[in-house]
Amino acid sequence: MPLIPEEPQIHEKAQGPRATPASGRTAPTPRPVPGPRPAAPPRPGRPGPVRPAPPAQRASRDTAAAKPGPAGPATPAATSAAPQIQLIPATPDGALDAAEEAVDLLLDSGRTPGDVLVITTGEPHPWAAHELSFGDAAYWAQHDAGDDVFYADAAVADRAASRAVVVVAVNGGPEAAAATALTVAHARAGALLIVCGDPQRINSVLGAGV
């Protein structure tokens, strides 16, 4: 069912049940407020005699100023209901930044880094590109550790385990990549699915049966 784009804001709190929204509807909330982010790791190809230090893991931030909001279950197994879906309108060039802002707000509101999976449809997130430059095994080992936000391209996202929150950045790529990302994200999200991208494009994919 097509979503009506709204200006969403991700509201989270650490505990407590949430009401399941009507299927296929987007929670009408304002766009998340940008927050500080850790510096992006260097992209592959930069010279250096040794492997650079990996990007610092995200840590839960001070929640004293966090805004209250609905919180989802800790794991997908806790409920059979479909995840809540929130749409953040963004251009392909701005979708990755919007996704990062959404992640920042999730952490500010009390989510742990291991709760969050980010999927991209176009250019990989700099963290993913950086870690993949050292090998597939090391990259997926960090996924299996489950203690940090994990970033995956749509082409390999089906290898990722379910997490409480999945964020999709529709930052370009072919239509098939967007369809794959949204299908996988919907299946992997336990409580909340956040989609950042062009509303018309997202609605066309969601309306096709995601």
Side-chain angles (χ1 to χ4, degrees):
M1 177 182 299
L3 301 174
I4 299 174
E6 299 284 350
E7 290 293 323
Q9 178 177 6
I10 301 92
H11 288 307
E12 290 287 326
K13 64 182 178 181
Q15 299 178 354
R18 66 170 176 79
T20 303
S23 176
R25 294 191 63 186
T26 302
T29 50
R31 180 188 297 274
V33 177
R37 301 192 295 272
R43 293 181 181 274
R46 293 191 176 183
V50 296
R51 171 178 176 169
Q57 291 184 343
R58 291 179 181 268
S60 296
R61 305 177 184 181
D62 183 4
T63 59
K67 300 177 182 178
T75 63
T79 179
S80 59
Q84 178 184 356
I85 301 175
Q86 293 186 0
L87 171 61
I88 300 177
T91 64
D93 289 340
L96 197 55
D97 284 341
E100 281 289 88
E101 290 172 6
V103 171
D104 285 341
L105 190 58
L106 287 165
L107 299 183
D108 286 341
S109 66
R111 283 288 181 186
T112 63
D115 280 346
V116 184
L117 168 68
V118 180
I119 301 174
T120 56
T121 66
E123 183 180 358
H125 187 278
W127 181 92
H130 173 78
E131 293 304 319
L132 281 169
S133 69
F134 303 112
D136 192 71
Y139 170 74
W140 286 104
Q142 297 193 54
H143 163 271
D144 295 340
D147 55 5
D148 200 1
V149 178
F150 190 76
Y151 299 85
D153 181 82
V156 299
D158 59 347
R159 290 182 57 181
S162 297
R163 294 200 176 189
V165 183
V166 179
V167 181
V168 179
V170 185
N171 61 328
E175 199 69 25
T180 297
L182 290 172
T183 299
V184 171
H186 192 268
R188 297 294 188 271
L192 180 62
L193 170 59
I194 302 170
V195 186
C196 307
D198 176 66
Q200 183 175 356
R201 184 180 185 189
I202 292 168
N203 282 332
S204 68
V205 175
L206 290 174
V210 175

